[in-house]
Amino acid sequence: MKRIARCVAAAMAVGLAWAAGAGGPAEAAAKKTFKIGYNVYIGFMPLSWMQSSGVMKKWSEKYGVDVQLVQINDYVAGINQFIAGDLDAVGLTNMDQLVMPAAGGVDSSLFLITDYSNGNDAIVSKTAKSVKELRGEELHLLQFSVSHYLLNRALALNGMKLSDVKTTNISDAEITAAFVTQPAMKHAVAWKPMVPDMVKGAKGSEIIFDSSKIPGEIMDIFIAKTETLKDHPEFAKAFVGAWYETLGKLKAGGAEAEPVRTALAPALGTDDAGLTSQIDTTHFFFGAQEAADFLTAPKTKEIWDYVRTFCFEQGLYGQGADSVDAIGIQHPDGSVMGSQKSVKIRIDPSFTKLAAEGKL
């Protein structure tokens, strides 16, 4: 999964293009087919089984809609399709919701959290045994991605700043081979499935920090344009219902989980052991109540503050933003973090709460 925060200016241009071509209320009211995009990543891949098993179709029929789950091989392209209006919802990280749709002027709502990274993202080193030993060192990573965010948080927790290290950009497609074959490349930040290959391929290398040290901060979520969600809550109800039915089977284990696991492993390009490894470092919200509690917790507000501060300091709000408060984030209790006049992110746990109450 290319979990990257791309150029805000480009995102804004696409967002404006969407706004210019969007249909009116009458068109929205008539809509019955909804496309939800997702990328190949452990937190989203249960959707492949939801589609092939007929679970999504069953829930779609219950709500009188046609929800189509579309696998997008290019993560950034998928988000751009969402911004442009070609997708009604999309899976991405919380950080990317902020620096792509939100910074591009699109008002979107988080209506489902699937999981958070709980060890999938990591700093790998051939020489250092701790984060403090990275002072003055060069680290290779995909800049302005969640890898960059992870490094920033690791340094902060150890009394350091990004200015205490040097970062060099490298694509996720290149990082594994480069780390394994280039002796001069001593430190890198990446995510699974690259991390295990890096540790295994570069003798003496080890993980010195991972996302389990910052639980909940790298979220995998699904968002929809707020207007779409308001006009057509039925598509979100169908999707969330299908999601929790699928996770219920995965959580049950044994024979009930076998069809799901059998589908997930090859879809992720791995075997059952590899699938287990990825699940073990992913905190799935198997229960809807747990997910609702997380979205409404005071700690989650703190997480959003960490994320927005990092994004603003890295210039990911765009050149016109002069404050971290330029973009408003509305929390479930109605409070707004940032601009009251420019709310572009709304955290909506209502669908998850309906699932928890058995009302879907």
Side-chain angles (χ1 to χ4, degrees), residues 155-204:
L155 294 171
L157 291 172
N158 283 274
M160 299 164 66
K161 301 178 180 179
L162 278 172
S163 57
D164 291 323
V165 300
K166 177 184 177 182
T167 58
T168 299
N169 186 52
I170 186 170
S171 77
D172 56 315
E174 301 170 317
I175 195 167
T176 302
F179 188 78
V180 170
T181 62
Q182 298 178 19
M185 187 174 169
K186 297 178 182 178
H187 322 286
V189 192
W191 58 87
K192 286 186 175 181
M194 290 95 77
V195 167
D197 292 338
M198 292 161 69
V199 172
K200 182 179 179 180
K203 186 177 180 180

Side-chain angles (χ1 to χ4, degrees), residues 18-340:
W18 167 80
E27 179 183 339
K31 189 170 178 64
K32 291 295 181 181
T33 298
F34 300 86
K35 294 182 179 180
I36 300 179
Y38 68 98
N39 197 245
V40 178
Y41 178 70
I42 181 63
F44 300 145
M45 287 312 287
L47 271 68
S48 65
W49 186 83
M50 282 166 57
Q51 185 88 308
S52 64
S53 66
V55 168
M56 189 68 258
K57 181 180 179 181
K58 179 185 76 174
W59 281 88
S60 293
E61 290 175 348
K62 177 177 180 178
Y63 285 97
V65 293
D66 177 17
V67 178
Q68 300 177 2
L69 307 179
V70 184
Q71 181 176 309
I72 309 294
N73 294 326
D74 187 317
Y75 177 65
V76 172
I79 300 174
N80 280 337
Q81 287 180 48
F82 167 75
I83 292 170
D86 296 328
L87 293 172
D88 298 287
V90 69
L92 74 177
T93 67
N94 54 323
M95 177 175 159
D96 288 334
Q97 181 186 15
L98 180 60
V99 300
M100 293 184 69
V106 175
D107 184 335
S108 67
S109 293
L110 185 172
F111 69 94
L112 175 68
I113 181 169
T114 64
D115 67 280
Y116 62 75
S117 175
N118 198 34
N120 277 332
D121 299 81
I123 301 173
V124 183
S125 177
K126 296 174 182 174
T127 58
K129 302 300 180 183
S130 69
V131 172
K132 291 183 178 181
E133 293 178 40
L134 296 175
R135 188 181 297 274
E137 294 287 305
E138 178 183 21
L139 289 98
H140 288 73
L141 48 73
L142 185 61
Q143 286 188 318
F144 310 132
S145 69
V146 291
S147 291
H148 209 157
Y149 175 80
L150 178 81
L151 173 62
N152 179 64
R153 291 290 288 131
L155 294 171
L157 291 172
N158 283 274
M160 299 164 66
K161 301 178 180 179
L162 278 172
S163 57
D164 291 323
V165 300
K166 177 184 177 182
T167 58
T168 299
N169 186 52
I170 186 170
S171 77
D172 56 315
E174 301 170 317
I175 195 167
T176 302
F179 188 78
V180 170
T181 62
Q182 298 178 19
M185 187 174 169
K186 297 178 182 178
H187 322 286
V189 192
W191 58 87
K192 286 186 175 181
M194 290 95 77
V195 167
D197 292 338
M198 292 161 69
V199 172
K200 182 179 179 180
K203 186 177 180 180
S205 63
E206 60 182 82
I207 294 171
I208 61 171
F209 187 91
D210 67 40
S211 53
S212 67
K213 306 296 193 300
I214 52 168
E217 295 191 28
I218 301 176
M219 309 173 206
D220 296 308
I221 60 178
F222 278 88
I223 66 171
K225 290 190 176 73
T226 299
E227 184 178 1
T228 303
L229 207 59
K230 180 181 178 180
D231 290 340
H232 299 286
E234 65 276 11
F235 96 88
K237 290 179 180 179
F239 180 66
V240 172
W243 171 261
Y244 282 114
E245 179 175 334
T246 300
L247 277 205
K249 294 181 179 299
L250 193 59
K251 181 183 179 181
E256 191 169 353
E258 186 176 355
V260 185
R261 294 182 65 95
T262 300
L264 289 188
L268 286 162
T270 188
D271 55 16
D272 192 67
L275 174 63
T276 298
S277 173
Q278 293 189 46
I279 290 176
D280 287 346
T281 50
T282 303
H283 183 98
F284 274 107
F285 289 98
F286 285 107
Q289 187 60 56
E290 183 194 5
D293 290 345
F294 177 85
L295 291 175
T296 56
K299 177 63 179 177
T300 305
K301 283 188 180 182
E302 292 181 27
I303 290 172
W304 277 102
D305 198 29
Y306 294 150
V307 172
R308 73 182 190 130
T309 300
F310 169 77
C311 292
F312 176 72
E313 290 177 347
Q314 297 304 309
L316 299 177
Y317 272 24
Q319 293 183 348
D322 57 3
S323 165
V324 71
D325 290 326
I327 296 173
I329 302 171
Q330 186 178 72
H331 294 280
D333 62 4
S335 64
V336 174
M337 181 180 289
S339 173
Q340 295 268 358

